[in-house]
């Protein structure tokens, strides 16, 4: 495995401005104090997958006190985990930790894409990607970092489909799911998910799970709301099928578009609140 610093050059992107706005006063330990020093928010890591027959790139951020404690931490896995999406998850998680009592500071794992459609779509090879996460990625993270066993999977748009599909296929892998702009862009996917729900009897006996769904009213990819409506119909069916130990919260952001920006922050806040009050 190889490790290299990333974000070593100045990154003038919108998500990084949000990161600086939220976190500049709170995470001084991440920022060197010398003039013209690099800003480092995490590391790249490489892992070869025998399941996928390719090398995969991870972006990893550790909690602020990781090097000064022997604590264990929850892990947030961010699908579509390129730099911008990773930074959004990082800023949301840290701001919540910094400003909210008892919110944990998670290890954050961004999973970069190689062939997005292949990995995310259930009618292609999503099952292989689930196997990669379950049998290779999670063991790798657990071996190399101090994890506490609580795992959150965060997807957006197409990867939110994958996240919910992984819940239907192997609900024991993750404890919580955050889905940004979840819906079915074609009817056949709705049918596929309904068949999976009917087929998987294990869902009736699963323990506590959290599903947070955030959709934007002004989604340019769903101007008439058809995609979101198909997704909502499935979520209603899911709610009627799973036991009461599965908590489901759906939120519509009236002034947000595709993949509403507040979804990760509010999803984490809701999950942590439930965890605190029910454990």
């Amino acid at each position: 495995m190889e490790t290299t610093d990333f974000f070593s050059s100045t990154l003038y992107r919108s998500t990084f401005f949000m990161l600086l706005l939220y976190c500049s006063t709170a995470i001084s330990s991440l920022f060197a104090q010398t003039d013209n020093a690099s800003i480092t928010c995490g590391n790249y890591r490489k892992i070869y997958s025998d399941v996928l027959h390719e090398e995969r790139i991870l972006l990893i951020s550790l909690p602020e006190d990781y090097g000064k404690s022997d604590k264990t931490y929850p892990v947030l896995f961010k699908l579509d985990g390129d730099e911008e999406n990773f930074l959004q998850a990082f800023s949301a998680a840290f701001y919540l930790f910094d400003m909210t009592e008892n919110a944990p500071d998670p290890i954050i794992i961004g999973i970069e894409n190689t062939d997005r459609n292949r990995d995310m779509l259930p009618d292609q090879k999503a099952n292989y990607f689930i196997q990669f996460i379950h049998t290779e990625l999670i063991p790798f993270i657990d071996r190399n970092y101090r994890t506490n066993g609580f795992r959150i999977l965060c997807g957006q748009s197409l990867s939110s489909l994958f996240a919910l599909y992984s819940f239907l296929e192997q609900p024991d892998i993750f404890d919580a799911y955050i889905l940004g702009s979840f819906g079915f862009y074609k009817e056949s996917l709705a049918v596929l998910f309904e068949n999976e729900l009917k087929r998987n009897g294990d869902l009736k006996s699963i323990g506590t799970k959290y599903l947070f769904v955030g959709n934007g009213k002004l989604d340019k990819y769903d101007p008439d709301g058809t995609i979101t409506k198909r997704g909502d119909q499935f979520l209603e069916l899911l709610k009627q099928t799973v036991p009461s130990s599965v908590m489901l919260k759906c939120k519509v952001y009236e002034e947000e578009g595709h993949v509403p920006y507040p979804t990760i922050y509010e999803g984490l806040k809701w999950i942590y609140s439930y965890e605190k009050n029910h454990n």
Side-chain angles (χ1 to χ4, degrees):
M1 308 299 173
E2 300 179 17
T3 304
T4 56
D5 286 335
F6 73 99
F7 306 143
S8 57
S9 61
T10 306
L11 185 58
Y12 290 107
R13 299 185 182 179
S14 59
T15 51
F16 196 50
F17 281 123
M18 292 299 296
L19 168 68
L20 292 177
L21 176 64
Y22 287 151
C23 304
S24 59
T25 60
I27 54 175
S28 58
S29 64
L30 292 178
F31 295 85
Q33 300 301 310
T34 57
D35 183 47
N36 204 34
S38 300
I39 296 172
T40 302
C41 299
N43 297 312
Y44 280 124
R45 296 213 66 172
K46 298 178 180 179
I47 175 174
Y48 185 82
S49 169
D50 291 323
V51 173
L52 301 174
H53 305 294
E54 64 183 8
E55 185 175 72
R56 299 304 295 251
I57 304 298
L58 310 174
L59 287 69
I60 300 179
S61 175
L62 300 179
E64 185 184 18
D65 67 348
Y66 187 89
K68 299 177 289 186
S69 78
D70 58 359
K71 295 190 301 185
T72 58
Y73 302 85
V75 184
L76 170 63
F77 291 84
K78 180 68 182 77
L79 300 168
D80 292 328
D82 59 22
E83 291 177 0
E84 290 188 1
N85 290 325
F86 178 83
L87 278 172
Q88 181 189 357
F90 173 86
S91 61
F94 189 88
Y95 185 73
L96 185 62
F97 163 72
D98 188 48
M99 296 297 182
T100 306
E101 185 179 1
N102 296 324
D105 190 8
I107 297 170
I108 302 173
I109 311 296
I111 309 170
E112 284 195 348
N113 292 320
T114 54
D115 187 334
R116 189 173 187 245
N117 285 355
R118 177 202 66 189
D119 290 340
M120 301 302 164
L121 285 172
D123 53 358
Q124 293 196 30
K125 294 192 175 182
N127 288 87
Y128 286 94
F129 198 57
I130 294 173
Q131 185 181 351
F132 157 67
I133 291 174
H134 189 204
T135 66
E136 296 179 325
L137 177 57
I138 290 175
F140 170 74
I141 298 301
D142 288 345
R143 282 195 309 270
N144 287 280
Y145 303 97
R146 297 194 307 274
T147 62
N148 68 7
F150 190 87
R151 306 185 194 106
I152 304 169
L153 183 62
C154 181
Q156 59 181 50
S157 192
L158 188 60
S159 65
S160 73
L161 269 177
F162 171 83
L164 191 57
Y165 181 70
S166 74
F167 168 74
L168 298 177
E169 288 292 296
Q170 296 193 50
D172 292 335
I173 300 177
F174 293 96
D175 301 280
Y177 304 79
I178 299 174
L179 314 179
S181 290
F182 172 77
F184 299 116
Y185 68 90
K186 56 183 180 180
E187 184 65 34
S188 60
L189 281 172
V191 174
L192 186 154
F193 269 64
E194 289 173 9
N195 289 337
E196 287 299 314
L197 182 58
K198 294 173 184 176
R199 183 188 64 80
N200 193 346
D202 294 341
L203 292 177
K204 295 181 180 179
S205 59
I206 61 175
T208 303
K209 302 291 176 182
Y210 308 95
L211 301 170
F212 182 91
V213 182
N215 285 312
K217 194 75 171 179
L218 305 180
D219 192 336
K220 65 181 180 180
Y221 296 107
D222 187 23
D224 63 357
T226 300
I227 295 173
T228 301
K229 184 178 179 180
R230 290 192 192 115
D232 288 344
Q233 289 171 342
F234 177 78
L235 291 172
E236 185 59 36
L237 180 62
L238 179 67
K239 189 187 304 183
Q240 296 169 10
T241 305
V242 296
S244 59
S245 60
V246 177
M247 268 68 75
L248 174 62
K249 181 176 176 63
C250 300
K251 182 163 184 177
V252 176
Y253 297 91
E254 296 291 335
E255 297 183 359
E256 294 283 342
H258 194 60
V259 188
Y261 194 85
T263 302
I264 299 177
Y265 173 81
E266 295 198 10
L268 288 173
K269 186 175 182 180
W270 176 76
I271 292 164
Y272 294 159
S273 174
Y274 248 109
E275 268 291 281
K276 178 183 175 182
N277 294 326
H278 290 78
N279 288 282

